[in-house]
Structures are given as C-alpha cells and as structure tokens.
Amino acid sequence: MVRAPAHRRRLKPLRRSRISAYRGGWALVTGAARDVGLGYAFSRQLAAEGLNLILVDILADELSARAAELRGEFGIDVVVLACDMADPTAIDRIERAADGVDVDVLVCNHMFTPPETPRILDMPLDTHRRMIDINSRGYTDLVHVFGNQMRRRAAGSIIMVASGVGLTSSPFTGAYGANKAFQIGLGEALWYELRGTGVDVLVMIGGLMNTQGDMFDRYPQWLISEPRDVVRRVFAAVGRKHMVVPSLPNRLFLLAQTRLMSRRRAVLSIGDFMAKGLGKED
C-alpha cells in the first residue's frame, strides 16, 4: 500500500498552545532528517509557530535538505548538526551547536531499533548496547543539559517521544520496548520534579504512524496515524498534561491492553499482534 504523507500540507500556527509563547525563540529537535518522519513533522509545526530550529540527526545529507526546505518555506534560522547519538560526546557537540541561544523547546525524538526486529537473545550484544546508548542515555543527556538550562531560566518545554510498547511490552521488539519504558519513567519523574519551576514536561505515547512506507501494511490500518495530526495534538497538550496519547485508536488499544486485561494476557495478546504484523507467525 502506498501512503502519501500529509507533512506537506500548508500549516497554520496553533490557536492555543504553550509553544506559541516561544515565537522568535529556539527549539531543538533530534531525529529530524527524514522527510516523512515524526521529527520533521515536529520541526515544521515549530517553524509554523515562528521558532528557529536546531536539528540533530545521523543522516547528514537529508538533514541539510530538511533545513533548506524549512528556511525557504518559513523564513526561520536553522542550525544542523549531523551526529550519532550513540557517541558519548554527542551531547557536547549538541551543546556547542546551541551555544549563544536559549533552547526554549526540546523535542527528544531520535530512536534506533534494528529493522529486522530480531528476538532479544538473537540480537548481538553490541546492538543492545547501541540501543541503550541512543534511546536511553541519549535522552538522559539531552534532558540533563537543556533541562538544567530551562530550570535556571524558569521557562521552557521538554517533549519526550516514547511509545505505547513502553507500557505494554512488545515481543519481537522487546529491547526497543524496554528503552521506551525507560523514557516514560524518566519523563514522568522529570515532570513531577519540575512542577512549579516554569518548565513543562510532556511524555508522548506514540503508536503506529505513517512514517515507514509499506512496513505497516500487515497491521490494522485504523491504527495508522498521520504525524502532522499527532504533532498538533502533542503541542496542544503541552502545559496541560503530563502524558498524552495523541491518537484515539491507540488510546483505545492501550486501554484494552493496560486496564481490561491481566498483564500476562496483555503480553500474550501484543505478542500475537506483533507476530502477525511483522510476519513472524512461523
């Protein structure tokens, strides 16, 4: 199935969003290089709100192309940094790239998981370690550096892009789900600890989105959300909620998995769902 991304539709600023207060300021978005990706959808809406951008991704050429598009369409300043979040020095490079500006909005969106979705014990240990470095340590580095800066200024917004599999577990993408659980726990605790400081923290619980071409053809299509719509719902929730599931189908799906089933039944159910969707039933 060929799905045309909705990213390119004309964007308007949100009517009511805490993000609008940062017009003319700066946002930092990781994982922003792919033109059909969620990070780019975040970047485009931030640009529509009038924020300048620092974009981080490992894909240097694609990142430069996205920056040129954003400058041309929205007339904003865009700084790009191509780096590997698995590198422990990446945070130092990001901090230098942001030197001289105040990062008002931080969107932790980058991720890594092997496309072949191996079982936990079949995945090389080096790959497990790389996933932890990118998905767990990378998020921690970002919120520590820029969260402290925001706290000193008593202003700012942090968005942690997690996933429903962090709440339900996910056989066949178990290591990815474990990292997402880490992000959820980190983000919720950070939200509590920063209450009253002027810094908003929002954990986004994502589901299946139209970012992977035909990869999700085996899944129920009513579960597939458009990144553009997801982003607008996320930004509308900043300062109002500590966690948001921006897709109604995924809210219902998670409700069934987390409230209406036993934990054992939920793991069996999601395992069967993933096996079918990934073609691993044999």
Side-chain angles (χ1 to χ4, degrees):
M1 178 184 297
V2 178
R3 300 185 187 88
H7 297 46
R8 303 292 182 172
R9 296 176 188 165
R10 183 177 177 83
L11 290 178
K12 296 180 180 179
L14 294 165
R15 291 181 180 273
R16 290 183 296 175
S17 171
R18 189 70 61 92
I19 302 300
S20 303
Y22 302 118
R23 184 176 183 84
W26 286 83
L28 192 160
V29 184
T30 60
R34 295 176 60 249
D35 67 345
V36 297
L38 181 62
Y40 188 49
F42 271 115
S43 301
R44 283 178 53 78
Q45 188 63 54
L46 286 162
E49 301 295 329
L51 279 83
N52 304 299
L53 295 168
I54 301 168
L55 305 182
V56 179
D57 204 295
I58 195 171
L59 303 173
D61 292 342
E62 292 184 51
L63 194 63
S64 295
R66 301 292 83 75
E69 292 167 358
L70 291 164
R71 292 187 193 105
E73 184 173 354
F74 298 100
I76 60 168
D77 292 333
V78 184
V79 174
V80 298
L81 176 64
C83 69
D84 184 352
M85 291 302 297
D87 183 349
T89 68
I91 189 60
D92 301 319
R93 295 182 59 200
I94 295 171
E95 195 170 8
R96 287 195 296 271
D99 187 42
V101 306
D102 291 335
V103 172
D104 300 298
V105 180
L106 170 65
V107 181
C108 298
N109 170 72
H110 65 275
M111 59 81 73
F112 166 67
T113 189
E116 62 273 16
T117 61
R119 289 170 168 82
I120 290 172
L121 296 184
D122 294 335
M123 191 162 71
L125 189 55
D126 284 348
T127 304
H128 278 287
R129 289 168 174 163
R130 179 171 174 79
M131 289 185 70
I132 292 169
D133 280 340
I134 294 173
N135 301 326
S136 296
R137 182 187 50 74
Y139 270 49
T140 305
D141 287 352
L142 286 163
V143 299
H144 194 273
V145 168
F146 294 103
N148 270 299
Q149 293 179 11
M150 291 176 184
R151 184 172 60 174
R152 286 193 290 270
R153 299 195 312 269
S157 295
I158 298 171
I159 296 169
M160 309 275 284
V161 178
S163 169
V165 297
L167 297 172
T168 64
S169 184
S170 58
F172 305 109
T173 57
Y176 170 78
N179 279 266
K180 289 300 176 182
F182 174 90
Q183 294 168 4
I184 292 169
L186 182 71
E188 287 192 300
L190 189 66
W191 167 81
Y192 182 92
E193 293 172 357
L194 289 177
R195 290 182 308 159
T197 65
V199 181
D200 298 312
V201 178
L202 179 67
V203 179
M204 173 198 146
I205 304 297
L208 300 178
M209 279 177 269
N210 183 14
T211 60
Q212 304 294 329
D214 60 0
M215 184 178 293
F216 295 146
D217 281 358
R218 290 174 177 264
Y219 291 99
Q221 296 307 293
W222 57 273
L223 282 174
I224 310 296
S225 302
E226 286 295 340
R228 173 182 179 275
D229 300 331
V230 166
V231 165
R232 292 178 69 86
R233 293 175 191 135
V234 169
F235 283 154
V238 172
R240 297 176 49 244
K241 299 181 178 181
H242 91 287
M243 177 182 286
V244 62
V245 183
S247 161
L248 177 59
N250 280 287
R251 284 200 296 274
L252 297 174
F253 189 76
L254 286 171
L255 175 65
Q257 295 288 328
T258 60
R259 300 294 178 88
L260 304 181
M261 298 181 184
S262 69
R263 186 70 179 179
R264 172 186 164 86
R265 181 62 231 167
V267 174
L268 288 169
S269 175
I270 195 69
D272 292 345
F273 177 83
M274 296 297 290
K276 183 177 180 179
L278 295 171
K280 295 179 179 291
E281 295 160 299
D282 296 334

